Amino acid sequence: GIRYDSNANISSTNEGEKDDFIATLSPQFEIINDRRKMVFEFLYRANGLYYLKDPQLNTISHFVTAGMKAEYSPATKFDISDSFSYLKQSLLTSQINIQTSRYNIMANTVSLRMDHEFTPKTSMTANMSDNVLKYQDPASVDGRTDSAGAAAIYHITPSTSTDAGYTFTNYSFDSSGVSNAIRTHTLRIGLTEQFSPSLTFNVFGSAVYKTGSGSGYDWEAGASVAKTFMMSTLNAGYARTVSTTSGLTDTLGINQTYSLSYDYRASDLSDVTLYGSYSENHTDPAASVDLESYNAGIRWAYQLRAWLTIGAGYDHFEQRSRGSLGSDVRREQVFVSATVTPYE
């Protein structure tokens, strides 16, 4: 793909506003071995960015995912995966829309999930995960997040279900050899209502107890709605969560995100997506991190041939820092793309 990129603070040296043409080359291959009760999956993708005016910013990112899905019995299923990435685009490793400096980041996540159905109305899930983030930037804080939890799901009616669960999470931080650990205990309850085949609503709330640095109580909540029309789909959501700060500090922060997307399928070959989100991230009580960010854009894709899909779009991202950590960032991208799939 080819992009025109206009940025403020595009580089790790905060050199001010810059613009550039960027060529993106992203080869990918995937292997799927589907057996009778077991599926093995492997995916590798490289993402090369090549700058016309500023070639010292050229970089290649690597993404590897391996997983296995197994059916132990008709009622019990397992899902194991390992995802590794090595990249400089911090927004791809951050789940809370925080843009940090342009240094190499290594991320790895191992997860295990089990689903078991007791009756047609009752089921449970259990999961464990380990996530590691290491930053080349000496000012960033390396982190490791280990969590384990379980939840029960009960279908009140064919269109209404409720869930309740508990999750234990251990956050470990390492900043210049100084370690810090925070543990959280989270009790969650949620409700899903399918008002019609085309309208689904979901809401949840959680009580969080933190031990270690910054111990105390907190809360999480969220809601989302999905509406399907004849040729399109509308999604809207809100979530408030307790999370890390993507390497900015060795404490936990609060993230609030509002999101909206609209996908219109003009034909079997053409698709248009409009999207937008607004996020706030801050640490509490000391607001060393106090960030707000906006992201909005439009993407168009058209399947020109069975093996060729072309696309175009526009994306705007803006981050404003009101605390002592983090920086102001503005990025605008106009892009065209071509995806070639030799065979499946």
Side-chain angles (χ1 to χ4, degrees):
I2 303 293
R3 292 185 291 148
Y4 174 75
D5 196 336
S6 175
N7 272 283
N9 298 338
I10 189 173
S11 69
S12 59
T13 55
N14 292 334
E15 296 173 353
E17 188 166 339
K18 306 176 73 173
D19 62 87
D20 209 335
F21 286 93
I22 306 169
T24 303
L25 180 62
S26 186
Q28 170 181 307
F29 71 89
E30 185 176 12
I31 300 172
I32 300 177
N33 187 347
D34 193 347
R35 298 176 178 269
R36 181 169 170 264
K37 291 188 176 182
M38 196 173 295
V39 178
F40 296 92
E41 298 177 328
F42 176 84
L43 182 145
Y44 170 77
R45 177 167 58 90
N47 192 56
L49 301 179
Y50 303 95
Y51 292 75
L52 179 64
K53 299 180 182 179
D54 217 352
Q56 69 266 23
L57 294 177
N58 293 353
T59 182
I60 299 178
S61 302
H62 303 274
F63 306 86
V64 181
T65 300
M68 179 188 72
K69 297 179 181 179
E71 183 179 309
Y72 179 76
S73 70
T76 306
K77 298 177 176 62
F78 292 91
D79 191 339
I80 304 171
S81 66
D82 186 356
S83 299
F84 171 85
S85 60
Y86 184 77
L87 68 165
K88 288 186 177 180
Q89 300 103 309
S90 58
L91 279 176
L92 298 182
T93 60
S94 172
Q95 303 298 315
I96 53 176
N97 292 334
I98 290 182
Q99 171 75 61
T100 56
S101 55
R102 194 184 294 269
Y103 285 91
N104 287 324
I105 304 170
M106 189 278 290
N108 191 77
T109 301
V110 180
S111 61
L112 169 64
R113 176 186 172 106
M114 182 198 72
D115 294 275
H116 180 76
E117 185 178 278
F118 296 102
T119 70
K121 285 192 170 185
T122 58
S123 60
M124 68 158 290
T125 65
N127 59 79
M128 300 175 63
S129 68
D130 171 73
N131 172 261
V132 177
L133 281 171
K134 290 187 177 294
Y135 300 87
Q136 184 189 48
D137 182 5
S140 296
V141 180
D142 295 340
R144 179 170 185 169
T145 304
D146 298 290
S147 67
I153 302 99
Y154 178 68
H155 292 270
I156 304 170
T157 69
S159 61
T160 305
S161 65
T162 184
D163 64 89
Y166 165 79
T167 301
F168 169 78
T169 306
N170 182 73
Y171 300 92
S172 302
F173 302 99
D174 188 348
S175 176
S176 302
V178 179
S179 299
N180 183 35
I182 302 174
R183 298 173 178 85
T184 63
H185 304 266
T186 304
L187 292 174
R188 178 189 189 278
I189 186 168
L191 177 70
T192 300
E193 177 70 36
Q194 187 173 7
F195 294 103
S196 69
S198 63
L199 180 61
T200 302
F201 176 75
N202 177 275
V203 64
F204 78 89
S206 302
V208 181
Y209 177 65
K210 299 181 290 184
T211 63
S213 176
S215 61
Y217 291 94
D218 215 313
W219 57 276
E220 298 179 331
S224 64
V225 60
K227 172 63 178 176
T228 302
F229 303 94
M230 183 174 296
M231 300 290 291
S232 59
T233 302
L234 178 68
N235 291 277
Y238 163 79
R240 182 192 194 272
T241 58
V242 176
S243 65
T244 63
T245 57
S246 296
L248 291 177
T249 67
D250 61 353
T251 60
L252 296 181
I254 304 298
N255 167 261
Q256 292 192 93
T257 297
Y258 305 81
S259 61
L260 181 67
S261 67
Y262 178 73
D263 185 78
Y264 176 70
R265 192 154 186 84
S267 68
D268 292 339
L269 303 177
S270 181
D271 185 85
V272 178
T273 301
L274 292 91
Y275 57 89
S277 66
Y278 169 77
S279 295
E280 293 181 339
N281 291 280
H282 69 273
T283 49
D284 190 37
S288 56
V289 175
D290 188 1
L291 298 168
E292 63 176 358
S293 61
Y294 312 82
N295 183 218
I298 181 171
R299 291 191 178 100
W300 167 78
Y302 181 78
Q303 187 174 346
L304 194 63
R305 296 287 187 270
W307 51 271
L308 176 62
T309 301
I310 59 174
Y314 167 79
D315 183 87
H316 174 85
F317 174 82
E318 186 167 348
Q319 175 177 286
R320 298 175 183 174
S321 176
R322 300 171 295 195
S324 58
L325 296 175
S327 59
D328 293 345
V329 178
R330 188 182 75 253
R331 183 182 64 247
E332 296 185 5
Q333 298 176 340
V334 178
F335 60 88
V336 293
S337 64
T339 302
V340 178
T341 308
Y343 61 87
E344 295 184 355

